[in-house]
Amino acid sequence: MNSLTIALDVMGGDKGPLITIPAAIMAVNHLPSLSLILCGDQHTIQDILHKNNALNHPRLSICHTTQVVAMDEKPSTAMRSKKDSSLRKAIDFVEQGKASACVSAGNTGALFATAHFVLKTLPGVERPALISSLPTRDKDNHVFMLDLGANVFCDADILYQFGLMGAVMAEQVDGVCKPRIALLNMGEEDIKGSDHIKLAASQLAQNPDINYVGFIEGNDIFNNKADVIVCDGFVGNVALKTCEGVATLVYEKVKSVFEKNVFAKILGQFLAPTLKKLFKSLNPDQYNGASLIGLRGIVVKSHGNANKKAFFTAIMEAVKEVERQVPEKIKDSLEQGLIQRP
Amino acid sequence: MNSLTIALDVMGGDKGPLITIPAAIMAVNHLPSLSLILCGDQHTIQDILHKNNALNHPRLSICHTTQVVAMDEKPSTAMRSKKDSSLRKAIDFVEQGKASACVSAGNTGALFATAHFVLKTLPGVERPALISSLPTRDKDNHVFMLDLGANVFCDADILYQFGLMGAVMAEQVDGVCKPRIALLNMGEEDIKGSDHIKLAASQLAQNPDINYVGFIEGNDIFNNKADVIVCDGFVGNVALKTCEGVATLVYEKVKSVFEKNVFAKILGQFLAPTLKKLFKSLNPDQYNGASLIGLRGIVVKSHGNANKKAFFTAIMEAVKEVERQVPEKIKDSLEQGLIQRP
């Protein structure tokens, strides 16, 4: 494997450098070909590197920045006035070809707006999409879902493009052969849903390179009926966050059962690791990171509330996308897909 | 309490009269003021009543019908060609004032289309909505959510009306004083979401009779931050079914943990009742029934897969809505709300 460089916004996220820098150290130790550029306040970074005995690590370099994008800052304000922020610099490195990808746990809206503005979309891509994977009942499979919130509304053409982009992710990142593409809808029947969903369905069905399997309902997201589920960002965001809400609710209720008496407490200890893992996997952007795809560069978003392990996982996701050349493959697929489209 | 009559489509649902008729017997035995009209095939009904020792029950009457709407039948076909179906007759009784409400576990699309066509909307109501309640982390509270799938897309005016209708349900059915109304969105900030959601937010905020509490995200549906959550039918349907999907997934995974060995199996027995109840409550239309509101009559939909207890619960939901005069209250609220609207 060739060496690769990834830029990190170490100041982003609720816990900022306290978790991003230890995750970075973990990543370079894990992968000898990986170099990381740590964008953020030099003094803070050096301090934490020092405490972790990694001050002079040969594959960790620092890019000092003077600004930080706050978690609640308006994306437009961040873009206009935070040109020396850690978030912006990490993206700039990708744009300049000095890094192959960037990873941030910072302000989602600001990250997307800045990445879109700086990196631009690939030829033929109208809108970038936020994609992540969810677990399925079959533990060896998971399902990619997009868009998870980068776009409020998506017309048929955009949904069609998302189908092609999702297929590339499933093929390249997960190695799925002929991934099954579905559209999220309020029923499985052809007559269900809005006009733009029906049109996107017909476009996907007519592309011989796409294994389009039809409409899918919310209750089937986890039933391993598709490898990629396409929807607009509003619906995807609500579905993803509803998953998180249900998982949290169930976790609390199950936990409360275990707190009823001593016997139950012992049972709880027995079950705790399995349950924790399950509930974490239902909060995918906290666990896996989510990617903004369709841009001329790789941008991985880790959850604002990410811990060291989650941020490390997001870095590894970026590595995978670099190795599999996801943007190039999406570009090829889109070019081919636009020819195929009726 | 005055006597009241409710019409049942006993042929609807996956198990049809085998569960609807025992549920009907349970309901009249539970509530001495309740009379039920059983719409369906007379021979089948008499047979099941006989087997349940209820053939001559004074408060169970039969309306013989010759047609059944299939579960997968197109709504338009059902409306046109199934005028002597159990589903249609049950609605007709409401329209004729011979029943105060109807309950069906049959074809959802056909039920809505027929109810809308026969009963018509209340003055000022543009579209009826499907509403149901979901559990919250606070076990004494639940949250009403609408629309759950009666309408694909809803503009600002319709979302505003749903806010008023949902408030009436929370006040009248649940006795909530000044119910908190929220709009489901992809972020809590004012700038998030589509133009029609922002417009609906401003309309709700300006109505002094409505306790509008702002936008809510999917992960907060269950956090007791609102008594009523408003969204369009597409989003509501996806959110509701995603809940069901997550709950099923978690249930299976938790169950599989209990199947690992003998010790785990014993633990499972201990937890089973609590878990089952929890997971059932996350599939609300199976558990509580859902109501189609905004019409000049009360229509309660029980899940196609409902068992006796679930269909009984749906009948009791209809009783509650009759007693609290939900349609009249919605009519009053809408009249007032249209005056209040900026």
Side-chain angles (χ1 to χ4, degrees):
Chain A
M1 200 180 63
N2 299 322
S3 68
L4 60 90
T5 302
I6 289 174
L8 306 184
D9 160 20
V10 302
M11 308 305 280
D14 297 341
K15 289 161 207 150
L18 287 176
I19 72 105
T20 56
I21 295 171
I25 298 167
M26 194 173 159
V28 287
N29 289 338
H30 178 78
L31 204 65
S33 60
L34 178 65
S35 296
L36 296 173
I37 306 170
L38 311 177
C39 304
D41 177 70
Q42 184 165 20
H43 181 76
T44 309
I45 296 173
Q46 284 177 332
D47 195 39
I48 299 174
L49 285 175
H50 178 71
K51 280 178 186 150
N52 287 274
N53 300 317
L55 191 52
N56 297 310
H57 195 293
R59 289 181 282 114
L60 290 175
S61 59
I62 299 172
C63 165
H64 177 63
T65 57
T66 57
Q67 294 178 307
V68 173
V69 176
M71 290 304 269
D72 57 356
E73 201 159 327
K74 267 181 81 171
S76 52
T77 316
M79 267 178 62
R80 228 182 5 251
S81 63
K82 295 285 175 79
K83 287 179 185 155
D84 195 45
S85 65
S86 52
L87 183 149
R88 174 63 178 263
K89 284 293 169 193
I91 296 169
D92 284 345
F93 277 115
V94 179
E95 196 272 326
Q96 294 154 4
K98 293 177 185 164
S100 307
C102 66
V103 181
S104 173
N107 180 318
T108 310
L111 182 71
F112 293 172
T114 309
H116 193 173
F117 173 73
V118 173
L119 297 176
K120 311 280 185 273
T121 53
L122 288 162
V125 173
E126 281 182 65
R127 303 279 311 164
L130 188 64
I131 187 167
S132 190
S133 64
L134 289 159
T136 70
R137 66 200 304 174
D138 177 350
K139 76 175 168 44
D140 296 324
N141 284 299
H142 57 259
V143 57
F144 281 99
M145 197 159 151
L146 78 165
D147 174 30
L148 296 175
N151 310 281
V152 178
F153 171 78
C154 305
D155 64 19
D157 286 346
I158 296 176
L159 292 174
Y160 173 73
Q161 293 183 5
F162 287 177
L164 303 188
M165 301 203 302
V168 171
M169 284 292 278
E171 267 165 2
Q172 299 304 325
V173 175
D174 261 20
V176 180
C177 179
K178 283 227 148 264
R180 297 159 297 167
I181 314 298
L183 282 163
L184 189 60
N185 200 349
M186 56 193 288
E188 287 180 8
E189 305 85 354
D190 290 345
I191 52 156
K192 286 285 172 79
S194 59
D195 291 340
H196 61 272
I197 282 194
K198 289 179 213 163
L199 183 55
S202 112
Q203 290 182 1
L204 287 166
Q206 287 178 64
N207 183 334
D209 294 337
I210 287 288
N211 180 15
Y212 174 67
V213 295
F215 293 141
I216 201 168
E217 294 185 79
N219 52 321
D220 273 335
I221 292 175
F222 314 99
N223 284 345
N224 196 19
K225 290 191 173 176
D227 301 301
V228 178
I229 297 176
V230 176
C231 56
D232 71 35
F234 192 101
V235 171
N237 186 278
V238 167
L240 184 77
K241 287 184 177 156
T242 302
C243 281
E244 189 186 322
V246 176
T248 308
L249 178 75
V250 175
Y251 186 63
E252 277 182 12
K253 300 259 180 183
V254 171
K255 233 176 75 184
S256 75
V257 174
F258 290 128
E259 278 159 7
K260 277 187 177 161
N261 58 43
V262 178
F263 179 56
K265 271 185 192 159
I266 298 168
L267 308 191
Q269 290 302 316
F270 177 78
L271 272 178
T274 313
L275 288 178
K276 266 200 184 146
K277 204 176 146 193
L278 171 66
F279 290 110
K280 257 194 178 169
S281 74
L282 287 168
N283 189 353
D285 61 343
Q286 182 153 9
Y287 194 58
N288 301 323
S291 302
L292 192 62
I293 60 170
L295 297 176
R296 298 169 195 254
I298 295 166
V299 180
V300 175
K301 170 72 178 73
S302 188
H303 199 278
N305 193 23
N307 60 17
K308 177 179 150 186
K309 175 92 187 295
F311 199 76
F312 167 81
T313 308
I315 299 172
M316 289 302 125
E317 172 68 31
V319 168
K320 219 181 205 179
E321 291 182 31
V322 174
E323 287 174 352
R324 311 292 161 86
Q325 302 183 296
V326 167
E328 292 76 5
K329 299 280 168 54
I330 287 179
K331 182 174 161 282
D332 296 346
S333 169
L334 260 287
E335 274 169 11
Q336 192 60 26
L338 292 177
I339 297 166
Q340 302 283 9
R341 186 161 57 185
Chain B
M1 198 179 63
N2 298 323
S3 67
L4 60 90
T5 302
I6 289 174
L8 305 185
D9 161 20
V10 301
M11 309 305 280
D14 298 339
K15 289 161 207 148
L18 287 175
I19 71 106
T20 57
I21 295 171
I25 297 168
M26 194 173 159
V28 287
N29 288 339
H30 178 78
L31 204 67
S33 58
L34 178 66
S35 297
L36 295 173
I37 307 170
L38 311 177
C39 305
D41 177 71
Q42 183 165 21
H43 180 75
T44 309
I45 297 173
Q46 284 176 332
D47 195 40
I48 299 174
L49 284 175
H50 178 71
K51 282 179 184 150
N52 286 275
N53 300 317
L55 191 53
N56 297 311
H57 194 292
R59 288 181 282 114
L60 289 175
S61 58
I62 299 173
C63 166
H64 177 62
T65 57
T66 57
Q67 293 178 306
V68 173
V69 176
M71 290 303 269
D72 56 357
E73 201 160 327
K74 268 181 81 171
S76 52
T77 315
M79 267 178 62
R80 227 181 6 251
S81 63
K82 295 285 175 77
K83 286 179 185 155
D84 195 45
S85 65
S86 52
L87 184 149
R88 174 63 179 263
K89 283 292 169 195
I91 296 170
D92 284 344
F93 277 114
V94 179
E95 195 272 326
Q96 294 153 4
K98 293 177 185 165
S100 306
C102 66
V103 181
S104 173
N107 181 320
T108 310
L111 181 71
F112 293 173
T114 309
H116 193 174
F117 173 74
V118 173
L119 297 176
K120 311 281 185 273
T121 53
L122 287 162
V125 173
E126 281 181 66
R127 303 280 310 163
L130 187 65
I131 188 166
S132 189
S133 64
L134 289 160
T136 71
R137 65 200 305 174
D138 178 350
K139 75 175 167 46
D140 297 324
N141 283 299
H142 56 258
V143 56
F144 281 100
M145 198 158 149
L146 77 165
D147 174 29
L148 296 175
N151 310 280
V152 178
F153 171 78
C154 304
D155 65 18
D157 286 347
I158 295 177
L159 292 173
Y160 173 74
Q161 292 182 5
F162 288 177
L164 303 188
M165 301 203 301
V168 171
M169 283 293 277
E171 267 166 2
Q172 299 303 324
V173 175
D174 260 21
V176 179
C177 178
K178 284 227 145 260
R180 297 159 299 168
I181 314 297
L183 282 163
L184 188 61
N185 201 348
M186 56 193 288
E188 287 181 9
E189 305 85 353
D190 290 344
I191 52 156
K192 285 286 173 78
S194 60
D195 291 341
H196 60 272
I197 283 195
K198 290 179 212 163
L199 183 56
S202 114
Q203 291 182 0
L204 286 166
Q206 286 177 65
N207 182 334
D209 294 337
I210 288 288
N211 180 15
Y212 174 67
V213 295
F215 293 140
I216 201 167
E217 294 184 80
N219 52 321
D220 273 334
I221 292 174
F222 314 98
N223 284 345
N224 197 18
K225 289 190 172 176
D227 300 299
V228 178
I229 297 177
V230 176
C231 55
D232 70 37
F234 192 102
V235 171
N237 185 278
V238 167
L240 184 76
K241 286 184 178 159
T242 302
C243 281
E244 190 186 323
V246 176
T248 307
L249 178 74
V250 175
Y251 186 64
E252 277 183 11
K253 300 257 180 185
V254 171
K255 233 176 76 182
S256 76
V257 173
F258 290 128
E259 280 159 6
K260 278 188 175 160
N261 57 44
V262 177
F263 179 56
K265 271 184 192 157
I266 298 168
L267 309 192
Q269 291 301 318
F270 177 79
L271 272 178
T274 313
L275 289 178
K276 265 199 185 146
K277 203 174 146 195
L278 171 66
F279 289 110
K280 258 193 179 170
S281 73
L282 286 169
N283 190 353
D285 61 343
Q286 182 154 9
Y287 193 57
N288 300 324
S291 303
L292 192 64
I293 60 170
L295 297 176
R296 296 169 195 255
I298 295 165
V299 179
V300 175
K301 169 73 179 72
S302 188
H303 199 278
N305 193 23
N307 59 17
K308 176 178 151 186
K309 174 93 187 293
F311 199 77
F312 167 81
T313 308
I315 299 171
M316 288 303 126
E317 172 69 30
V319 168
K320 217 179 206 182
E321 290 182 31
V322 174
E323 287 174 352
R324 311 292 161 86
Q325 302 182 299
V326 167
E328 293 77 3
K329 298 280 166 55
I330 287 179
K331 183 172 160 280
D332 295 347
S333 169
L334 260 288
E335 273 169 10
Q336 193 59 26
L338 292 177
I339 297 165
Q340 301 283 8
R341 186 161 58 184

